[in-house]
Amino acid sequence: MIRKLSAMVLVTAGALTVAAAPATAATGRLVLHGAAVRVVIDPGPGCYGSVTPYSGVTNDTDTAVTAYSGSGCTGLSLVVPPGGSATGAFRSVRVLS
């Protein structure tokens, strides 16, 4: 009985730990160059898109981001490391952290 109770407590504690872990934002700024410059401070996880292509991405965050040729984070992709930048015609950028 004690073994079963201990196992249940461990499973419950593990489930609570996983449930309590929120998605975290990247720290820093993501600069999306285009017709208008878009600066995202501490970008949260997700896909950042544009109707007109971005001409470049400057990643001044602490995590890699992925730039995509298509909208909705689809198409050809290029990983932009922390502190890096890329030029090209990008329609969306994904932040994973």
Side-chain angles (χ1 to χ4, degrees):
M1 178 70 175
I2 292 177
R3 244 186 203 166
K4 286 182 182 180
L5 182 59
S6 295
M8 285 177 46
V9 169
L10 288 175
V11 169
T12 303
L16 289 175
T17 301
V18 170
T24 58
T27 302
R29 62 187 197 128
L30 179 63
V31 183
L32 306 170
H33 306 275
V37 175
R38 180 178 178 190
V39 179
V40 184
I41 305 297
D42 297 335
C47 184
Y48 296 83
S50 175
V51 175
T52 59
Y54 301 124
S55 58
V57 176
T58 302
N59 181 12
D60 290 330
T61 72
D62 60 351
T63 188
V65 300
T66 306
Y68 292 88
S69 62
S71 60
C73 291
T74 61
L76 299 175
S77 64
L78 175 68
V79 174
V80 183
S85 62
T87 58
F90 307 112
R91 288 206 177 263
S92 54
V93 177
R94 178 170 303 283
V95 177
L96 292 178
S97 66

